[in-house]
Amino acid sequence: MRPDARPAARSVAGLRPRLRRVLGSPLQLLLLLCSFALAAYAGVRLLDGDRLGVALWFVGAALLHDLVLLPLYAAADRAVVRGFGAAGRRAWVPYVRVPAAFSGLLLLVWFPLIGGRVDRRYRLGTGLSADVFLARWLLISAVLFGGSALLLALRLRRAAKRRPPEAH
């Protein structure tokens, strides 16, 4: 055996754990490749018709998010943190943040129907009325905030039971 063959074997053996750390398991790599293939297929199908319209929609959505929506919800989040932080209740912030995020996401996705902007097109396309979307979004938002308030109340009740009574 050559004296320089041993270091080459060590470097190959050391390469496998490093590749596994970078790439993950073979199953993860396969799933990642499948997801890229699915995304490529969806992109080809999406861009098959109106390429300029799709590109404008993506650019417009990115600009709307980065220049308008992000500053708005960042300011709202800062206001909530300041409001609860001043009273020493910073742990309550997620109980407002999570339902607000889900409610805002639903509004963003379904805004044309919630706002009644495409009522005629929706009715022609589906045969259904779009009048129910605003009420349903409000109901879902109320359930999200109510459920969050209930979870907070249960957490506070459990914390109050654990605290020993104060001696006077």
Side-chain angles (χ1 to χ4, degrees), residues 12 40 62 67-68 86 112 117 121 155:
V12 170
L67 297 177
V68 178
R117 303 259 183 221
R121 272 181 56 193
R155 177 183 172 199

Tab-separated table of all heavy atoms in Angstrom, residues 12 40 62 67-68 86 112 117 121 155:
chain	number	residue	atom	x	y	z
A	12	VAL	N	-11.938	11.131	2.131
A	12	VAL	CA	-13.214	10.674	1.590
A	12	VAL	C	-14.162	10.326	2.729
A	12	VAL	O	-15.346	10.653	2.693
A	12	VAL	CB	-13.010	9.462	0.647
A	12	VAL	CG1	-14.342	8.836	0.271
A	12	VAL	CG2	-12.250	9.880	-0.593
A	40	ALA	N	-41.084	24.425	-10.392
A	40	ALA	CA	-40.764	24.723	-11.794
A	40	ALA	C	-41.966	24.432	-12.689
A	40	ALA	O	-42.297	25.227	-13.584
A	40	ALA	CB	-39.555	23.914	-12.239
A	62	ALA	N	-44.803	42.553	-4.411
A	62	ALA	CA	-43.599	42.747	-3.603
A	62	ALA	C	-43.474	44.207	-3.169
A	62	ALA	O	-43.162	44.498	-2.011
A	62	ALA	CB	-42.365	42.317	-4.391
A	67	LEU	N	-43.313	48.267	0.731
A	67	LEU	CA	-43.405	49.713	0.909
A	67	LEU	C	-44.637	50.171	1.684
A	67	LEU	O	-44.634	51.251	2.255
A	67	LEU	CB	-43.377	50.405	-0.460
A	67	LEU	CG	-42.098	50.203	-1.268
A	67	LEU	CD1	-42.228	50.887	-2.622
A	67	LEU	CD2	-40.881	50.706	-0.524
A	68	VAL	N	-45.695	49.362	1.699
A	68	VAL	CA	-46.927	49.792	2.357
A	68	VAL	C	-47.282	48.893	3.540
A	68	VAL	O	-47.415	49.354	4.681
A	68	VAL	CB	-48.104	49.837	1.350
A	68	VAL	CG1	-49.386	50.227	2.030
A	68	VAL	CG2	-47.785	50.803	0.206
A	86	ALA	N	-45.621	48.442	28.768
A	86	ALA	CA	-45.680	49.467	29.800
A	86	ALA	C	-46.347	48.936	31.060
A	86	ALA	O	-46.015	49.330	32.168
A	86	ALA	CB	-46.434	50.689	29.281
A	112	PRO	N	-60.466	40.860	-2.460
A	112	PRO	CA	-61.422	41.218	-3.520
A	112	PRO	C	-62.842	40.748	-3.217
A	112	PRO	O	-63.807	41.461	-3.510
A	112	PRO	CB	-60.868	40.513	-4.760
A	112	PRO	CG	-59.414	40.352	-4.472
A	112	PRO	CD	-59.313	40.136	-2.994
A	117	ARG	N	-65.353	43.674	-4.438
A	117	ARG	CA	-64.816	44.229	-5.690
A	117	ARG	C	-65.132	43.362	-6.910
A	117	ARG	O	-65.171	43.872	-8.017
A	117	ARG	CB	-63.295	44.378	-5.586
A	117	ARG	CG	-62.868	45.228	-4.439
A	117	ARG	CD	-62.519	46.581	-4.937
A	117	ARG	NE	-62.043	47.393	-3.830
A	117	ARG	CZ	-62.377	48.639	-3.693
A	117	ARG	NH1	-63.147	49.209	-4.571
A	117	ARG	NH2	-61.932	49.334	-2.678
A	121	ARG	N	-68.237	39.173	-11.179
A	121	ARG	CA	-67.408	38.119	-11.778
A	121	ARG	C	-67.515	36.826	-10.991
A	121	ARG	O	-67.568	35.743	-11.564
A	121	ARG	CB	-65.942	38.558	-11.823
A	121	ARG	CG	-65.606	39.322	-13.067
A	121	ARG	CD	-64.172	39.727	-13.135
A	121	ARG	NE	-63.249	38.612	-13.024
A	121	ARG	CZ	-61.960	38.778	-12.815
A	121	ARG	NH1	-61.458	39.982	-12.679
A	121	ARG	NH2	-61.172	37.740	-12.738
A	155	ARG	N	-54.385	30.552	30.785
A	155	ARG	CA	-52.983	30.650	31.216
A	155	ARG	C	-52.871	31.475	32.491
A	155	ARG	O	-52.141	31.117	33.420
A	155	ARG	CB	-52.157	31.286	30.112
A	155	ARG	CG	-50.728	31.493	30.508
A	155	ARG	CD	-49.959	32.192	29.431
A	155	ARG	NE	-48.640	32.527	29.935
A	155	ARG	CZ	-47.871	33.432	29.407
A	155	ARG	NH1	-48.260	34.099	28.349
A	155	ARG	NH2	-46.699	33.688	29.922
